[in-house]
Amino acid sequence: MSSKQTRQSFILRSLHETGQIDVSDLSDILRVSQTTIRKDLEELEGKQQLVRVYGGARLPMDHKVRRRPTYGEDLRSHEDIILDYEEKACYQIILEI
């Protein structure tokens, strides 16, 4: 990945998934120098899309991390859906009586 736009898109996606990124990790993943990554972070910070910290960057305080739900969270939400369905079915039966 050598295109600046492609690198910066990857940086922002990674940042939104994890909340914090590391210069050396990005350098290894994107196969560019750490200096190149730092320049990208500096430019993105200028656009207020991230905040640079020692060794990397993090999301600004007003941004939320979009993480994937864990397996347990997936199950709970599925159980909630089933419960909602069962409650609605019970209310429907009561209304018909």
Side-chain angles (χ1 to χ4, degrees):
M1 264 189 230
S2 60
S3 161
K4 180 168 71 169
Q5 184 177 10
T6 304
R7 278 194 321 269
Q8 290 183 358
S9 292
F10 179 83
I11 289 169
L12 290 173
R13 267 195 325 272
S14 298
L15 191 57
H16 282 279
E17 288 177 5
T18 62
Q20 187 165 339
I21 51 176
D22 183 73
V23 170
S24 62
D25 290 343
L26 288 171
S27 175
D28 291 341
I29 293 167
L30 298 173
R31 297 181 182 177
V32 295
S33 71
Q34 291 186 12
T35 302
T36 300
I37 297 297
R38 286 187 190 98
K39 288 179 183 178
D40 286 339
L41 296 181
E42 185 177 336
E43 186 174 324
L44 292 169
E45 183 179 43
K47 296 176 183 176
Q48 299 179 340
Q49 293 180 312
L50 58 79
V51 176
R52 292 172 64 207
V53 296
Y54 182 79
R58 65 168 173 78
L59 286 174
M61 293 302 235
D62 59 340
H63 284 75
K64 294 183 180 178
V65 177
R66 293 183 305 227
R67 64 179 179 79
R68 293 185 178 99
T70 64
Y71 179 73
E73 289 172 333
D74 284 346
L75 288 178
R76 279 194 299 275
S77 60
H78 179 69
E79 290 170 357
D80 290 343
I81 291 169
I82 291 171
L83 184 58
D84 279 348
Y85 179 76
E86 290 173 349
E87 286 177 355
K88 287 178 184 176
C90 288
Y91 287 129
Q92 186 64 33
I93 291 170
I94 291 170
L95 289 174
E96 291 175 358
I97 294 179

